[in-house]
């Protein structure tokens, strides 16, 4: 991501329009057409949703998730899914997008969105997504931007007032305080039997479990804050407002019409129409507001919230002055209040801190400490006191936080008992320490503290979800409340052989192998959070996790699109099943990517690529990273030099007989290829594939050798990596030793060896002298022809080439 709009030419696109226009979907699709990209989203809940969507397309190995408290970063990510505040501004990518850009007018967060609008650019393309009210500002600030009006895909209609009892299924009730949300959820539970709850204060773990419960149909109603208004994709038919005012951090005020529209627009997804209204405890919405929401017409944004980004760290006073600097452009208004500024102002007045902040480095550290978020949203003085102690410790001794002090802060939060309010308070507090643990250089054993705070947050999130289910979902309405345990290494006598009999124990607490209970949600979350290496996938496509059979791959439309079947779907509740399938779809994409040697086919088959590039990429994808020279010769010849070099940087190699991705010929990739091919052909792999470098052609039983990564040459099938190594050695004047070593490895009979060498373009060594010796010697017996082509015997039915002793 470039920090300056003028540093590189970049196409800038502004997709502006109401909700349910597909803006975010199109931005994701466009990002995947590039080699690399970043998308910034307004909520960590939405960031996680988009992360799930992108990993289902390209696998988790290519995608990073970064929010203030959650980081999932693979070794070499191509795409970054972030909250807007967490976007890595020092990373350059081809494509960059910022969602809900109208938040540049937000009184507290707006300055971050304004900064991204002014400075964040992709190398090749930049998209800003948001409400049409931003059109005048975008056109004024970025004159060269291409502005597009996105049209809503479905109709949104006002349905008047309704009682809770008369709400239709698939409805959301929206309130603006946790207490009111719980009150409404309790009332709906009594009337309807069950409800999911979504608040911004929930951990991603809890929110995902609640949303999955709703999306799967376990419950038909949702009670939420305006956290659902920022792009969360829910299957809602109706949105009902329980109140029309909110506390915005400074005052209690009425919602603006465009804010009402943002929330109401969650009803009706894709081509399904939606409706909105209010509960009958409120008056009817004014006709002008109803009309504005239905027609998506609102006053344009005329000013954006701004904060100076050229900061002076000479002293705390200089920093405060630079932060207070007024904008020079009338299009901007200075941010009115921000927690980090207020914290800086308070800490700057502390004598002990003033004595320590005498140079640039110490002032910069103070500013970093002031940016620790106040997730508790309680007494601000309490938060400032925490920041004060943090800064004093970071400027004393070894410059690290004292682990004993850290333990005193964190240990009381490691308690999953208590009611919903207690758990939410602890969750808010532990989020602060999760944030601190991810600050580089602040802690000794930072990774241990990150793991500890994450574990506590997960345990609190699981407990909170359980409390929410217990309180707001009647057990009769929920399919199960299972307790899951890991399979014991020593099965109990009389126990079922089915491993899921140990997992699906309805309303029964059974001690696990490690003596601990595990709920369904906890087990599912372990799967969702697991890295790629935590799963075991055998040659038949069966997927296991922690020794538990979990699912299997089944035949899809082609080898690159295997489908998933859970090992025993009836064991899981609907929400758990949906989350498991989403994670395993990403795993399946990673397996296909492994077979292709990591080749990013999606980014080379976009409409922006030349026809020749798309053709080569498509063929490589279809061939799982390997195609013959004959198939690709014409398209490869038509490539321009830049496209050819770009393919080469992705590992594409022009070999002797094949065009291939280098890593697609690695042992791991060949194993994945064999599994995917056998799965698609619905027949086991021929024995010896892919371990054996050479097989008798008869071992393939008429099946395509190339599909399994082999090439038939005469009576034998050689693995393609061996074919390429032989071909390279034969064409290299210094390659005789390499060819000789490979031939010894293959253990081919002399006649077959000569045939292979001739087919690969080499001259069999000593061929002429052998002919002369044969003419002087005894004629070969006519009754004993050489039909095996190898110096050895075949193991019955194996097709392997074994050397005789």
């Amino acid at each position: 991501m470039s920090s300056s709009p003028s540093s590189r030419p970049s196409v800038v696109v502004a997709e502006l329009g109401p909700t349910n226009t597909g803006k975010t979907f199109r931005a994701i699709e466009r990002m995947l057409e590039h080699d690399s990209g970043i998308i910034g989203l307004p909520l960590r809940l939405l960031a996680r949703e988009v992360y799930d969507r992108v990993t289902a397309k390209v696998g988790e190995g290519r995608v990073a998730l970064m929010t203030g408290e959650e980081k999932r970063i693979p070794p070499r990510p191509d795409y970054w899914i972030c909250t807007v505040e967490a976007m890595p501004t020092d990373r350059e990518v081809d494509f960059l997008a910022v969602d809900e850009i109208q938040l540049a007018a937000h009184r507290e967060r707006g300055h971050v969105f304004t900064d991204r609008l002014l400075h964040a650019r992709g190398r090749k393309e930049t998209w800003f997504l948001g409400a049409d009210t931003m059109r005048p500002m975008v056109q004024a600030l970025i004159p060269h931007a291409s502005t597009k009006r996105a049209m809503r895909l479905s109709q949104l209609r006002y349905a008047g007032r309704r009682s809770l009892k008369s709400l239709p299924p698939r409805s959301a009730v929206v309130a603006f305080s946790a207490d009111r949300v719980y009150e409404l959820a309790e009332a709906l539970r009594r009337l309807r039997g069950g409800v999911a709850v979504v608040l911004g204060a929930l951990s991603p773990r809890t929110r995902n479990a609640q949303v999955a419960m709703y999306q799967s149909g376990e419950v038909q109603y949702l009670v939420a804050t305006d956290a659902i208004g920022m792009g969360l994709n829910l299957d809602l038919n109706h949105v009902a407002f329980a109140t029309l005012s909110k506390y915005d951090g400074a005052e209690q005020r009425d919602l603006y019409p465009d804010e009402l529209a943002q929330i109401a627009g969650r009803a009706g997804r894709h081509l399904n129409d939606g409706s909105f209204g209010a509960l009958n405890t409120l008056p009817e919405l004014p006709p002008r507001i109803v009309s504005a929401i239905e027609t998506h017409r609102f006053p344009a944004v005329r000013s954006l919230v701004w904060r100076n980004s050229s900061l002076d760290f000479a002293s705390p006073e200089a920093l405060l002055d630079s932060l207070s600097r007024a904008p020079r452009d009338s299009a901007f208004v200075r941010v009115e209040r921000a927690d980090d500024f207020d914290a800086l102002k308070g800490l700057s007045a502390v004598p002990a801190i003033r004595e320590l902040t005498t140079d640039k480095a110490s002032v910069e550290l103070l500013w970093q400490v002031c940016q620790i978020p106040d997730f508790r949203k309680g007494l601000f003085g309490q938060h400032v006191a925490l920041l004060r102690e943090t800064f004093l410790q970071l400027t004393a001794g070894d410059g690290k936080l004292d682990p004993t002090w850290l333990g005193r802060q964190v240990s009381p939060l490691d308690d999953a008992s208590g009611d919903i309010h207690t758990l939410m308070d602890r969750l808010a507090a532990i989020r602060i320490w999760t944030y601190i643990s991810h600050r580089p250089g602040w802690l000794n054993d930072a990774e241990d503290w990150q793991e500890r705070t994450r574990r506590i947050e997960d345990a609190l999130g699981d407990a909170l979800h359980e409390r929410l289910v217990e309180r707001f979902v009647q057990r009769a309405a929920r399919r199960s409340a299972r307790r899951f345990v890991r399979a014991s290494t020593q099965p109990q006598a009389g126990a079922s052989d089915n491993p899921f009999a140990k997992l699906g124990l309805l309303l029964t607490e059974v001690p696990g192998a490690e003596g601990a209970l595990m709920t369904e949600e906890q087990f599912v979350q372990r799967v969702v959070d697991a890295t790629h290496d935590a799963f075991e996938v055998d040659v038949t496509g069966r997927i296991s996790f922690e020794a538990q059979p979990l699912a299997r791959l089944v035949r899809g439309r082609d080898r690159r699109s295997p489908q998933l079947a859970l090992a025993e779907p009836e064991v899981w509740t609907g929400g758990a099943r949906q989350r498991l399938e989403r994670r395993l779809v990403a795993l399946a994409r990673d397996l296909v990517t492994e077979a292709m040697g990591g080749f990013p086919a999606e980014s080379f088959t976009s409409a922006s690529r030349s026809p020749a590039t798309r053709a080569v990429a498509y063929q490589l994808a279809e061939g799982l990273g390997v195609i013959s020279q004959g198939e690709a010769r014409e398209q490869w010849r038509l490539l321009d030099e830049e496209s050819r070099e770009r393919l080469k940087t992705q590992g594409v190699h022009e070999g002797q007989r094949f065009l291939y991705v280098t890593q697609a010929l690695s042992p791991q990739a060949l194993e994945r290829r064999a599994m995917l091919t056998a799965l698609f052909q619905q027949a086991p792999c021929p024995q010896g594939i892919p371990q054996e470098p050479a097989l008798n052609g008869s071992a393939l039983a008429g099946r395509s050798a190339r599909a399994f990564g082999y090439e038939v040459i005469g009576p034998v099938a050689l693995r393609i990596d061996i074919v390429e190594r032989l071909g390279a050695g034969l064409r290299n004047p210094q390659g005789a030793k390499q060819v000789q070593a490979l031939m010894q490895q293959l253990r081919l009979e002399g006649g077959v060896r000569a045939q292979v060498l001739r087919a690969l373009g080499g001259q069999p060594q000593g061929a002429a002298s052998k002919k002369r010796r044969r003419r002087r010697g005894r004629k070969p017996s006519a009754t004993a022809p050489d039909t095996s082509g190898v110096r050895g015997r075949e193991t019955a039915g194996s097709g392997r080439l074994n050397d005789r002793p």
Side-chain angles (χ1 to χ4, degrees):
M1 182 169 74
S2 172
S3 61
S4 171
S6 59
S7 61
R8 283 183 176 88
S10 174
V11 174
V12 179
V13 175
E15 279 235 10
L16 306 175
T19 56
N20 192 28
T21 59
K23 299 186 295 292
T24 307
F25 172 82
R26 286 190 292 275
I28 292 170
E29 294 292 309
R30 185 59 177 159
M31 180 178 70
L32 296 181
E33 293 176 359
H34 288 274
D35 295 341
S36 59
I38 292 174
I39 183 167
L41 300 146
L43 298 174
R44 62 196 177 107
L45 308 183
L46 180 56
R48 184 62 198 232
E49 178 184 307
V50 171
Y51 173 80
D52 289 340
R53 196 185 310 176
V54 174
T55 55
K57 288 179 173 290
V58 302
E60 290 201 352
R62 298 181 60 197
V63 189
L65 173 67
M66 182 179 288
T67 69
E69 309 135 69
E70 189 176 14
K71 292 179 175 63
R72 292 174 66 92
I73 305 177
R76 291 177 297 277
D78 295 322
Y79 307 110
W80 295 73
I81 314 301
C82 314
T83 51
V84 173
E85 285 85 352
M87 293 173 72
T89 55
D90 57 345
R91 178 171 293 273
E92 290 196 347
V93 292
D94 290 338
F95 177 89
L96 181 140
V98 179
D99 199 10
E100 306 293 359
I101 194 62
Q102 75 275 4
L103 287 178
H106 191 275
R107 62 190 300 173
E108 290 186 47
R109 300 178 64 198
H111 63 91
V112 179
F113 287 79
T114 299
D115 181 77
R116 302 295 184 260
L117 181 67
L118 295 175
H119 303 301
R121 298 292 183 269
R123 279 188 297 241
K124 297 180 179 178
E125 197 166 0
T126 303
W127 281 30
F128 296 112
L129 318 171
D132 199 54
T133 54
M134 280 291 291
R135 184 177 301 273
M137 294 304 302
V138 171
Q139 290 173 336
L141 296 172
I142 315 175
H144 62 280
S146 171
T147 55
K148 301 178 180 179
R149 179 173 176 80
M151 303 303 294
R152 187 176 167 90
L153 300 175
S154 63
Q155 296 294 315
L156 186 63
R157 291 286 180 259
Y158 180 56
R161 299 187 302 157
R162 292 175 180 264
S163 65
L164 280 176
K165 187 175 182 180
S166 64
L167 286 177
R170 314 309 290 168
S171 288
V173 181
V174 179
F176 297 97
S177 71
D179 289 340
R180 183 63 171 145
V181 165
Y182 297 144
E183 178 187 336
L184 291 164
E186 179 64 29
L188 266 176
R189 183 196 66 80
R190 292 195 299 268
L191 292 168
R192 297 295 191 177
V195 61
V197 173
V198 174
L199 303 93
L202 297 180
S203 68
R205 190 179 181 104
T206 311
R207 170 261 170 188
N208 289 340
Q210 290 285 307
V211 167
M213 190 170 65
Y214 173 80
Q215 288 290 88
S216 67
E218 288 185 58
V219 295
Q220 295 292 320
Y221 298 91
L222 181 74
V223 183
T225 62
D226 53 347
I228 68 168
M230 288 298 166
L232 292 184
N233 291 302
L234 301 168
D235 296 328
L236 292 173
N237 293 333
H238 182 75
V239 169
F241 290 94
T243 182
L244 299 175
S245 66
K246 64 179 288 188
Y247 180 74
D248 64 0
E251 60 182 353
Q252 187 76 24
R253 63 169 177 80
D254 291 339
L255 289 163
Y256 302 127
D258 58 332
E259 291 176 317
L260 291 168
Q262 186 74 29
I263 300 167
R266 294 300 112 198
R269 303 307 303 160
H270 194 51
L271 301 179
N272 298 322
D273 293 344
S275 60
F276 68 97
L279 295 184
N280 58 4
T281 54
L282 298 176
E284 293 281 0
L285 288 176
R288 63 177 184 81
I289 292 180
V290 169
S291 176
I293 295 174
E294 290 183 338
T295 60
H296 323 298
R297 298 186 181 280
F298 305 97
V301 172
R302 294 300 179 187
S303 60
L304 304 182
V305 175
W306 177 90
R307 184 160 75 178
N308 180 34
S309 58
S310 300
L311 302 181
D312 184 352
F313 294 103
S315 67
E317 293 79 7
L319 179 57
L320 285 167
D321 288 342
S322 61
L323 286 167
S324 302
R325 192 169 301 158
R328 297 179 180 178
D329 194 315
S330 61
F332 304 122
V333 295
R334 187 177 59 194
V335 59
E336 291 182 12
R337 64 165 305 275
D339 286 348
D340 53 7
F341 180 88
D342 292 342
L344 177 64
K345 193 173 180 179
L347 292 177
S348 298
V350 177
I353 291 179
R354 292 178 62 86
E355 291 176 3
L356 293 169
T357 50
T358 56
D359 57 16
K360 180 179 178 182
S362 61
V363 177
E364 286 181 340
L365 176 61
L366 178 61
W367 180 233
Q368 292 170 7
V369 170
C370 290
Q371 291 176 303
I372 296 173
D374 180 18
F375 293 114
R376 292 173 296 187
K377 299 298 182 185
L379 297 174
F380 191 66
Q382 181 183 6
H383 182 65
V384 172
L386 173 64
L387 301 185
R388 174 183 177 277
E389 181 62 27
T390 301
F391 179 75
L392 292 176
Q393 289 200 26
L394 291 174
T395 51
D398 62 355
K400 308 285 185 179
L401 295 177
D402 176 21
T404 303
W405 177 76
L406 275 173
R408 288 200 302 269
Q409 308 303 315
V410 171
S411 294
L413 305 176
D414 192 4
D415 180 1
S417 64
D419 58 16
I420 289 173
H421 288 283
T422 300
L423 290 172
M424 288 193 67
D425 288 343
R426 291 190 192 128
L427 259 175
I430 198 63
R431 287 174 64 190
I432 295 175
W433 299 107
T434 300
Y435 180 93
I436 289 175
S437 71
H438 282 89
R439 295 298 304 180
W442 284 15
L443 300 88
N444 291 310
D445 303 320
E447 291 185 0
D448 292 340
W449 283 105
Q450 290 168 14
E451 172 62 25
R452 182 176 179 183
T453 56
R454 184 198 61 79
R455 177 184 57 77
I456 294 173
E457 183 173 344
D458 289 348
L460 292 171
D462 290 337
L464 178 57
H465 176 66
E466 283 294 300
R467 301 296 191 282
L468 292 172
V469 170
E470 289 169 0
R471 179 170 172 182
F472 300 127
V473 182
Q474 289 182 3
R475 287 298 185 184
R478 187 163 164 81
R479 286 189 62 248
S480 72
R482 299 178 177 81
R483 294 294 183 268
F484 286 81
V485 297
R486 298 165 70 177
S488 173
T489 54
Q490 297 294 330
Q492 298 176 1
S496 169
D497 292 335
N498 185 339
F500 279 86
K502 301 181 182 68
L503 298 179
L505 301 175
L506 182 62
L507 293 173
T508 305
E509 295 189 352
V510 179
E514 299 176 355
L517 302 176
M518 189 181 297
T519 66
E520 177 187 73
E521 286 77 16
Q522 289 171 328
F523 183 82
V524 169
Q525 191 65 46
R526 288 176 69 87
V527 176
V528 170
D529 289 341
T531 62
H532 180 76
D533 294 339
F535 296 93
E536 298 173 3
V537 185
D538 67 16
V539 295
T540 66
R542 295 188 182 277
I543 302 169
S544 299
F545 177 74
E546 295 182 346
Q548 298 290 355
L550 200 57
R552 59 188 174 88
L553 298 174
V554 296
R555 189 178 193 269
R557 67 177 185 273
D558 54 38
R559 290 188 299 172
R560 293 190 298 136
S561 309
Q563 301 300 302
L564 277 162
L566 292 179
E568 199 162 336
E570 65 275 10
V571 166
W572 312 100
T573 56
R577 184 167 60 249
Q578 184 183 69
R579 299 181 70 207
L580 283 173
E581 289 173 344
R582 187 162 49 204
R583 175 63 185 94
L584 295 176
V585 165
L587 173 66
R589 289 299 309 152
D590 281 329
L591 296 174
V592 173
T593 300
E594 283 182 4
M596 295 169 57
F599 180 64
E602 297 85 359
S603 64
F604 283 96
T605 54
S606 66
S608 62
R609 304 285 185 177
S610 68
T613 302
R614 295 201 303 271
V616 170
Y618 177 78
Q619 290 181 83
L620 281 170
E622 288 293 297
L624 294 180
V626 181
I627 52 178
S628 70
Q629 289 280 11
E631 292 176 284
R633 185 175 294 112
E634 183 63 21
Q635 289 84 1
W636 187 258
R637 184 184 64 81
L638 292 173
L639 289 174
D640 59 75
E641 192 60 30
E642 181 183 354
S643 298
R644 188 178 288 111
E645 287 302 314
R646 187 68 194 127
L647 285 165
K648 288 181 178 179
T649 61
Q650 294 295 333
V652 178
H653 181 73
E654 190 176 7
Q656 304 300 321
R657 296 170 70 93
F658 295 92
L659 186 71
Y660 60 91
V661 180
T662 304
Q663 287 301 312
L665 299 185
S666 67
Q668 183 180 21
L670 290 170
E671 288 179 5
R672 298 305 188 204
R673 166 187 282 271
M675 177 201 59
L676 293 170
T677 301
L679 191 71
F680 183 69
Q681 295 182 355
Q682 296 185 301
C685 278
Q687 193 165 352
I689 289 178
Q691 294 81 14
E692 296 295 331
L695 301 171
N696 279 326
S698 60
L700 293 164
R703 298 165 75 181
S704 168
R706 194 171 295 171
F708 287 100
Y710 286 73
E711 178 78 345
V712 174
I713 300 177
V716 296
L718 300 183
R719 210 169 55 208
I720 287 175
D721 61 316
I722 299 295
V723 172
E724 283 298 319
R725 289 166 62 192
L726 280 172
L730 289 169
R731 283 160 178 76
N732 185 346
Q734 309 300 321
K737 290 184 178 180
Q738 178 186 353
V739 172
Q740 184 178 3
L742 285 171
M743 281 301 175
Q744 290 176 350
Q745 178 185 350
L746 296 177
R747 300 173 179 176
L748 301 178
E749 274 287 359
V752 175
R753 177 183 297 197
Q755 193 173 350
V756 168
L757 289 174
R758 279 195 298 271
L760 295 176
Q763 175 65 36
Q765 296 178 355
S769 63
K770 286 184 180 180
K771 288 181 181 178
R772 285 195 298 272
R773 285 197 297 272
R774 180 171 293 173
R775 283 196 295 270
R776 288 196 298 269
R778 186 176 58 184
K779 293 182 180 180
S781 171
T783 61
D786 178 13
T787 57
S788 69
V790 295
R791 292 202 319 266
R793 61 183 181 273
E794 286 187 34
T795 303
S798 71
R800 299 187 184 182
L801 307 180
N802 298 320
D803 194 30
R804 272 198 304 230

